[in-house]
Amino acid sequence: MSTSLTTCEWKKVFYEKMEVAKPADSWELIIDPNLKPGELGPGWKQYLEEHAAGRFHCSWCWHTWQSAHVVILFHMYLDRARRAGSVRMRVFKQLCYECGTARLDESSMLEENIESLVDNLITSLREQCYEEDGGQYRIHVASRPEHRGPHRAEFCEACQEGIVHWKPSEKLLEDEATGPSDASKLQGLAGSRYNFFSLRWCLLWGSLGLLFVYLQCTFGSLGFL
């Protein structure tokens, strides 16, 4: 059964996976709540995870809620000469919309979700820091239906800092909810109508062919007699 992970366990997953991905290099993971998107020092790279799934727990009214739009910011740096790298990480918080307190709450995540997030981080790290083909990014549990729902930008720390991260997925959900467009429906209707008439013509020509063969055999037998 999956359990929530603490910051220490975040680091544990990262170190274990980096030991496999880059055993010759030494990497560290630092939690930095003041990390800003786009503010990079020389040689630093950025990776932004925009749709992580997390659970929030209000420390004031004890309300809990889930979100599929948790934003995680990573800044990465590799010193090739020393074969050492550093990752700074910030998980953006959300406000409780039940009690309206101004206190931002941190999210907790399931082990399966964090492992896929770390895999995505390592993929980006290999592409940007090592200039390698990192492979495909994993689709994690944020895509599951139970995590879907309207995103409240006014309660999201990332949105308040100007990170627009929820609109693409919201548009996708709207498209899924409304179903195929009118043009697609018309194309489908036209295609089915075309198939229907094609079947009728095939049956008609087949019947005429059988009739022709029957008449030919009948008159041929009479001529023989």
Side-chain angles (χ1 to χ4, degrees), residues 197-213:
F197 283 112
S198 298
L199 180 61
R200 289 182 59 184
W201 279 110
C202 288
L203 292 174
L204 177 61
W205 285 111
S207 301
L208 291 175
L210 290 174
L211 179 61
F212 176 77
V213 172

Side-chain angles (χ1 to χ4, degrees), residues 1-181:
M1 182 177 180
S2 298
T3 56
S4 296
L5 296 182
T6 63
T7 299
C8 292
E9 289 166 316
W10 258 97
K11 294 183 177 182
K12 177 177 177 291
V13 173
F14 174 75
Y15 293 144
E16 288 178 351
K17 288 184 176 290
M18 283 304 300
E19 183 66 26
V20 175
K22 293 295 175 182
D25 296 342
S26 175
W27 281 86
E28 63 175 352
L29 177 64
I30 301 172
I31 308 299
D32 185 354
N34 298 315
L35 209 61
K36 299 291 184 181
E39 297 184 4
L40 299 168
W44 284 81
K45 309 295 182 180
Q46 175 174 295
Y47 170 61
L48 185 66
E49 181 69 53
E50 299 180 338
H51 302 290
R55 176 183 292 274
F56 291 85
H57 179 84
C58 180
S59 56
W60 181 259
C61 70
W62 307 105
H63 172 64
T64 61
W65 69 97
Q66 295 187 69
S67 174
H69 305 286
V70 181
V71 176
I72 307 176
L73 176 64
F74 299 97
H75 285 181
M76 309 167 290
Y77 177 78
L78 172 63
D79 187 335
R80 292 182 177 271
R82 298 175 56 190
R83 301 192 68 90
S86 177
V87 174
R88 292 185 174 273
M89 166 186 168
R90 176 186 178 185
V91 181
F92 286 84
K93 303 175 183 179
Q94 293 186 13
L95 292 169
C96 177
Y97 54 85
E98 285 290 331
C99 65
T101 180
R103 180 180 300 177
L104 288 163
D105 295 294
E106 298 181 352
S107 66
S108 61
M109 296 182 181
L110 299 178
E111 182 175 0
E112 59 183 294
N113 195 13
I114 287 189
E115 288 188 355
S116 66
L117 292 169
V118 172
D119 285 339
N120 287 346
L121 168 63
I122 294 176
T123 297
S124 178
L125 187 148
R126 292 179 61 183
E127 291 176 349
Q128 298 194 70
C129 296
Y130 290 95
E131 299 179 354
E132 299 176 352
D133 181 8
Q136 293 184 343
Y137 287 84
R138 291 184 59 182
I139 301 176
H140 41 81
V141 295
S143 61
R144 293 181 178 176
E146 62 265 26
H147 291 280
R148 293 179 177 178
H151 181 65
R152 304 189 179 189
E154 65 272 22
F155 297 101
C156 174
E157 184 182 30
C159 290
Q160 296 305 311
E161 294 196 14
I163 302 176
V164 181
H165 62 100
W166 58 274
K167 288 186 176 180
S169 62
E170 290 292 308
K171 181 64 169 61
L172 179 62
L173 293 180
E174 290 175 3
D175 292 342
E176 291 177 353
T178 55
S181 62

